[in-house]
Amino acid sequence: MTEAAVRRTPGTPCWVSLIVHGLSTTQKFYAELFGWEFGPGPQQLGPYVRALIDGQEVAGIGQLPPERHLPVAWTTYLATDDADVTAETIRSCGGTVAVGPLDAGEAGRLAIASDPSGAVFGIWQAAAHLGTALARVPGTPVWNELVTRETSTVAKFYQAVFGYDAEAVVSADFDYQTLHLNGRPVASLRGVGRALPRDRGPHWMTYFEVADTDVATARVVDLGGQVLQPPRDGSNGRVATVADPEGAAFTIVRSEDR
């Protein structure tokens, strides 16, 4: 069993999922970009597949009903030992629970929620499916970050719900907090103020590992996606923010320790 395929401490990002209009065409895009293969997943909410690398589950993709026209975006799931209790805590702390909690067959129990700023995230109570089963190889989720207007208010929400310790970067022009569990960084919050995209609002961003950021960025364009922020060197590696053909944004990163 890999390091990633263990039961997570509550609050740890444990899965990412995407619900799209064209399931088969989206599978083809990510198969060509990340080398994903696909296997069946729970069908309670409609057609759904799990992306695989070397037979290990790394992400999920589902299909929207034809009559539903919702924004297409990657959703970060945070681990919980009890989805029902966590859902009630989310509500009591000013968040909203839009879907569930409900069972996903024998895989586990989930809910889809949003924080007080409107950023959507999922919670996952693992049963047979523990979540992402592979880490630190190209094509796997490597980090999750909340992009929001300012971090101080929303940080209190996530701390109250999941018990994070938050470490802030103190700067007059940089609003950033890292969320820790048991002394280990697990996610981050980035306040961008007026630079927040008007068409998206606050949102969780998934980072996927790649072998070469520039090559992967060019590949996104070749496959019908678009570049939102071109490759650039960051504190943790070379990153670029891109979108798939249906507009789902994600960030690709070649870590410096690779």
Side-chain angles (χ1 to χ4, degrees), residues 194-201:
R194 294 181 179 178
L196 189 72
R198 291 185 179 181
D199 59 340
R200 297 200 62 199

Side-chain angles (χ1 to χ4, degrees), residues 160-248:
V161 175
F162 296 105
Y164 297 120
D165 293 319
E167 179 182 336
V169 174
V170 180
S171 170
D173 53 8
F174 198 63
D175 182 10
Y176 188 88
Q177 298 197 43
T178 305
L179 302 179
H180 296 254
L181 290 171
N182 300 326
R184 184 173 66 91
V186 296
S188 55
L189 313 177
R190 182 183 298 275
V192 297
R194 294 181 179 178
L196 189 72
R198 291 185 179 181
D199 59 340
R200 297 200 62 199
H203 59 277
W204 279 90
M205 173 67 70
T206 300
Y207 286 64
F208 290 99
E209 181 110 356
V210 294
D212 186 307
T213 302
D214 296 80
V215 169
T217 301
R219 188 66 174 145
V220 167
V221 176
D222 291 342
L223 294 169
Q226 58 180 314
V227 178
L228 304 180
Q229 294 182 24
R232 60 203 183 276
D233 293 323
S235 58
N236 296 311
R238 189 160 176 79
V239 300
T241 301
V242 297
D244 68 22
E246 288 205 19

Side-chain angles (χ1 to χ4, degrees), residues 14 60 63 66 72 117 123 161 185 206 218 233 236:
C14 61
Q63 183 164 303
V72 175
S117 75
I123 56 174
V161 175
T206 300
D233 293 323
N236 296 311

Side-chain angles (χ1 to χ4, degrees), residues 19 23 41-49 61-65:
I19 309 299
L23 181 56
Q43 305 291 308
Q44 280 78 2
L45 299 180
Y48 188 85
V49 296
I61 304 177
Q63 183 164 303
L64 285 163

Side-chain angles (χ1 to χ4, degrees), residues 4 6-17 41-45 48 50 57 60 75-84 86-87 90 99 101-113 121-133 161-162 164:
V6 296
R7 189 171 297 277
R8 274 49 167 221
T9 301
T12 307
C14 61
W15 188 243
V16 293
S17 189
Q43 305 291 308
Q44 280 78 2
L45 299 180
Y48 188 85
R50 290 178 180 153
E57 298 168 346
T75 299
T76 297
Y77 282 77
L78 307 175
T80 177
D81 286 338
D82 190 320
D84 296 82
T86 300
I90 289 169
V99 177
L102 53 83
D103 290 328
E106 297 179 352
R109 191 163 173 81
L110 66 87
I112 304 295
F121 63 96
I123 56 174
W124 180 252
Q125 178 185 334
H129 175 63
L130 298 179
T132 304
V161 175
F162 296 105
Y164 297 120

